[in-house]
Amino acid sequence: LGARKLAVQGASRGGELTALLAAYFPQYVSGAIAIVPMYASSCGWDPEVGVSGPSWTLGGKDIPYAENQGSPSTAEMQRIGNELPNGFAMTPYYRNDMDQPAVRANAAIPIERAAGPLLMISGVDDQMWPCSWGSDRIVDRLRAKGFPHPFQHLAMRETGHITPLPNSITSFNRALYHSLANIFLDCGGTADGSARQSRLMWDTMLAHYARVFA
């Protein structure tokens, strides 16, 4: 209560939500950090049928999203995820969903509506979804729309979907078990790479917040 400025931050689906909040509620959000985000709203998950339907609604209506262009069924992803040492890689399928002219025209998040500084943080080796490519699309849109506030895309080449903060454990298994879909999913990145990049990520986040709350 009584705060003059509010910033939002989230990762993965939370990074997508962060971009949506900044775009659709600029009267409340003064700055945002979208970690491993996407440039458009992505398809939701239905544990029964796999990737299907919208992820988000606003005012009782679907927020425009990239429809599934042919991802495998949940059962097939579970089978592949169990067989491969690093789990099932979703990035090629999400890239196919997102890299469509109709998605660019009708489903891209209107991020240019944001009312403050924006920071996108991505892992170039993300095997969960193509967040670095998606963050580049956000930057392209901001430039094309003449966005008046500071913005930055920090693309970390040695990391994947998991972007740990300094002094956290990075000796992770690349295969992350998704408890909703019951699938082992490939995150990408390496433990050493994540450890090396964590300080850069942290320092960049601190600089962003200093700018937002100046």
Side-chain angles (χ1 to χ4, degrees), residues 124-145:
V124 175
D125 189 42
D126 192 340
Q127 299 302 312
M128 191 81 73
W129 66 4
C131 67
S132 193
W133 173 84
S135 295
D136 281 342
R137 304 289 76 73
I138 293 175
V139 169
D140 290 344
R141 186 178 181 94
L142 292 172
R143 287 173 175 162
K145 299 291 184 178

Side-chain angles (χ1 to χ4, degrees), residues 136-212:
D136 281 342
R137 304 289 76 73
I138 293 175
V139 169
D140 290 344
R141 186 178 181 94
L142 292 172
R143 287 173 175 162
K145 299 291 184 178
F147 188 66
H149 305 286
F151 60 91
Q152 179 183 358
H153 173 203
L154 175 63
M156 299 187 294
R157 297 190 175 279
E158 296 181 283
T159 66
H161 200 69
I162 297 175
T163 51
L165 298 177
N167 302 317
S168 61
I169 296 173
T170 61
S171 57
F172 57 85
N173 188 331
R174 277 182 51 154
L176 173 70
Y177 186 71
H178 194 295
S179 58
L180 175 63
N182 298 318
I183 300 170
F184 283 104
L185 294 173
D186 191 350
C187 291
T190 66
D192 289 346
S194 294
R196 280 191 291 268
Q197 296 294 316
S198 62
R199 174 55 63 182
L200 173 62
M201 175 181 172
W202 181 249
D203 289 344
T204 305
M205 291 171 65
L206 290 180
H208 171 83
Y209 280 128
R211 185 180 295 116
V212 172

Side-chain angles (χ1 to χ4, degrees), residues 53-171:
S55 292
W56 314 99
T57 61
L58 180 63
K61 298 180 179 179
D62 295 349
I63 288 179
Y65 67 98
E67 296 186 6
N68 182 8
Q69 299 296 316
S71 298
S73 67
T74 297
E76 182 67 3
M77 287 189 280
Q78 288 171 340
R79 182 188 66 80
I80 296 173
N82 286 331
E83 291 178 356
L84 296 179
N86 293 325
F88 183 79
M90 284 293 300
T91 286
Y93 300 97
Y94 272 119
R95 175 66 182 265
N96 189 43
D97 292 349
M98 294 286 176
D99 199 7
Q100 302 289 334
V103 175
R104 292 176 185 267
N106 303 317
I109 297 171
I111 193 66
E112 69 279 2
R113 298 179 186 172
L118 299 172
L119 171 61
M120 284 67 67
I121 299 175
S122 71
V124 175
D125 189 42
D126 192 340
Q127 299 302 312
M128 191 81 73
W129 66 4
C131 67
S132 193
W133 173 84
S135 295
D136 281 342
R137 304 289 76 73
I138 293 175
V139 169
D140 290 344
R141 186 178 181 94
L142 292 172
R143 287 173 175 162
K145 299 291 184 178
F147 188 66
H149 305 286
F151 60 91
Q152 179 183 358
H153 173 203
L154 175 63
M156 299 187 294
R157 297 190 175 279
E158 296 181 283
T159 66
H161 200 69
I162 297 175
T163 51
L165 298 177
N167 302 317
S168 61
I169 296 173
T170 61
S171 57

